[in-house]
């Protein structure tokens, strides 16, 4: 007992320190001035490849930026017509965005033969960059959010969007004051650890981190559930276990 008491005190101290460290990190990452994010009222454009990307991968970012009072826009580069479900998926996307707080007037869906929903087709990054730039300029966007070079799932359409924003940045075409955040891809193990990945997300390098509260996580689940045509058994498992339904780590380009 004499030995156990100091060990219990030490364990309690470590636990308290850990909780305070996590809370401190959370506080720093939710302050726009600390995270380097534009301030409240800024116009942010989320750039996705398919309907359901916004809920499946970016829900923590969308809800986190809404928490910071950003005005959110969505640019989806295809109607998701790979299985001839484009019309259904467009309606599902609007329903999902409504749950996530993005009004229909701020949702833009591109239907162009240059950008087919097809993992075997590599979109032309120059063409995608031109389309993206038009929407950035037309809407006075200050922050663009999209996939990183890994595309989270490795989908070629996701990767092409990262190539498009990199093209704009490399050529100096983005408007002054417009920055780009990309969603970190992680390995398969971390991808399905859900909240258990939070310590890794806090310890590893990133510029912005969004973690959903319990209420927000339920909101993200409702948004994903709007994509009824896509809710096959493996996507239901994804909803339960994927970190991307609860945690987003992002980096500036």
């Amino acid at each position: 007992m004499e030995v156990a008491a100091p060990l219990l005190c030490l364990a309690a101290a470590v636990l308290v320190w850990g909780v305070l460290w996590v809370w401190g990190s959370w506080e720093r990452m939710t302050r726009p001035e600390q995270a380097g994010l534009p301030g409240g009222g800024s116009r942010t454009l989320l750039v996705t490849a398919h309907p359901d990307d916004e809920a499946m991968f970016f829900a923590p970012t969308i809800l986190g930026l809404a928490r910071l009072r950003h005005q959110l826009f969505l640019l989806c580069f295809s109607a998701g017509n790979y299985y001839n479900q484009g019309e259904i998926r467009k309606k599902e996307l609007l329903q999902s965005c409504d749950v996530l707080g993005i009004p229909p007037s701020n949702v833009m869906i591109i239907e162009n033969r240059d950008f087919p929903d097809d993992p075997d087709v590599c979109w032309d990054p120059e063409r995608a960059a031109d389309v993206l730039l038009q929407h950035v300029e037309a809407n006075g966007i200050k922050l663009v959010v999209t996939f990183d070079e890994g595309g989270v799932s490795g989908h070629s359409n996701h990767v092409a969007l990262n190539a498009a924003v990199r093209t704009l940045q490399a050529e100096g075409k983005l408007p002054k004051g417009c920055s780009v955040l990309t969603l970190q891809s992680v390995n398969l193990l971390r991808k399905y650890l859900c909240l258990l990945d939070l310590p890794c997300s806090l310890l590893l390098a990133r510029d912005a981190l969004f973690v959903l509260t319990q209420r927000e996580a339920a909101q993200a689940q409702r948004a994903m559930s709007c994509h009824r045509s896509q809710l096959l058994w493996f996507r239901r498992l994804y909803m339960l276990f994927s970190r991307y339904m609860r945690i987003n780590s992002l980096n500036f380009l």
Side-chain angles (χ1 to χ4, degrees), residues 79-98:
N81 202 38
Y82 187 65
Y83 293 108
N84 298 313
Q85 296 177 312
E87 292 304 314
I88 294 171
R89 297 193 69 186
K90 286 191 290 184
K91 293 176 183 176
E92 292 174 345
L93 174 60
L94 292 173
Q95 292 168 359
S96 171
C97 286
D98 182 60

Side-chain angles (χ1 to χ4, degrees), residues 30-66:
T30 53
R31 293 175 186 165
E33 67 274 11
Q34 294 292 332
L37 297 173
S42 296
R43 290 172 165 243
T44 293
L45 178 65
L46 173 63
V47 184
T48 62
H50 318 105
D52 78 11
D53 288 349
E54 81 296 334
M56 186 177 289
F57 304 120
F58 290 97
T61 298
I62 294 171
L63 296 174
L65 290 173

Side-chain angles (χ1 to χ4, degrees), residues 49-50 77-80 110-118 121 123-132 157 160-161:
H50 318 105
F77 263 78
S78 79
I110 296 173
E111 296 183 79
N112 189 309
R113 291 181 180 179
D114 290 339
F115 310 114
D117 173 14
D118 190 335
V121 175
W123 296 346
D124 180 357
E126 292 282 352
R127 176 69 181 124
D130 289 342
V131 173
L132 173 55
N157 300 164
L161 295 181

